[in-house]
Amino acid sequence: MNTSNSSGTILKTKQHFEILDGLRGIAALAVVVFHFMEWIFTDPGQNFIGHGFLAVDFFFCLSGFVIGYAYDDRIAKMGLRNFFISRIIRLHPLVIAGSVLGLLAFLFDPFGGHLELYSSGKIILTFICSIFLIPFPAIEDRGFNLFSFNAPAWSLFWEYIANIAYAFILFKIKRNILLLLTLLSAGAICYVAYSSGNLLGGWSGPTFWDGCARISYSFLAGLLIYRSNWIIKK
């Protein structure tokens, strides 16, 4: 038996859904416009796209659906090592590129924060943590982001956590257990919304666990949609 051919078959890309790319593009545009409008309207009630941040939760849900579709029937054959390699190749170049650009912006931005307040050691440590997606909310001028030189990486961090949970637990469980977990996570996100007053958290040190609730519900919901075959067909 040819092992390399077998491995290639297992890792072969499945059918591509163009409509999901379109939805992903619309969601990405919504997030960009939302953050831009935050600078113009400090009162969220005046922002015409004040709920645009929920596009991130849509990304999490879409990820759950896509991961289930792509790996449910082959992760056992491909093994954890190949699974994690495929996910790192998919996700981590963005982490590295964003960290490098963020560091350069921090060092050379003429309108930025107070570079003199931070030692070289702290800047280097922050950059290393950003490269390896280790939360380190230590720079006030960056709003105590989990990753001060790459603020959007907070969502990729939770994406990695969801992927790890999928590889070790979620791909094995039956649909009724998945449904129960989704309902429990729905309760958790309702609690976060009530206690925090919004669902904007997850990106900073003080709101760290809000992100856990957001990824838990959205990712599980996407995975449940796939396994329940709740798909609108043409």
Side-chain angles (χ1 to χ4, degrees), residues 21-102:
D21 285 341
L23 292 173
R24 188 182 287 110
I26 293 172
L29 182 61
V31 172
V32 171
V33 174
F34 166 75
H35 285 305
F36 177 76
M37 296 304 295
E38 277 187 309
W39 291 93
I40 300 176
F41 297 108
T42 55
D43 179 5
Q46 299 179 357
N47 189 344
F48 77 94
I49 194 169
H51 293 92
F53 64 90
L54 291 175
V56 175
D57 300 82
F58 171 76
F59 278 125
F60 291 154
C61 183
L62 183 61
S63 177
F65 178 88
V66 171
I67 290 293
Y69 170 74
Y71 295 104
D72 262 9
D73 61 351
R74 59 177 175 169
I75 187 172
K77 297 178 182 178
M78 67 189 296
L80 294 181
R81 180 176 178 274
N82 284 331
F83 172 77
F84 285 123
I85 288 175
S86 69
R87 300 313 296 158
I88 289 172
I89 291 173
R90 176 81 173 181
L91 299 175
H92 219 75
L94 295 174
V95 174
I96 296 174
S99 299
V100 172
L101 291 175

Side-chain angles (χ1 to χ4, degrees), residues 154-207:
W154 75 269
S155 60
L156 291 178
F157 166 79
W158 288 114
E159 187 83 19
Y160 267 116
I161 296 298
N163 279 231
I164 292 171
Y166 172 81
F168 286 104
I169 301 172
L170 297 178
F171 93 91
K172 302 176 184 178
I173 64 176
K174 295 182 179 180
R175 181 185 171 279
N176 56 344
I177 301 299
L178 178 61
L179 176 60
L180 176 61
L181 291 176
T182 305
L183 292 174
L184 291 174
S185 63
I189 203 171
C190 287
Y191 172 77
V192 167
Y194 176 78
S195 59
S196 300
N198 57 60
L199 288 175
L200 276 164
W203 56 271
S204 66
T207 65

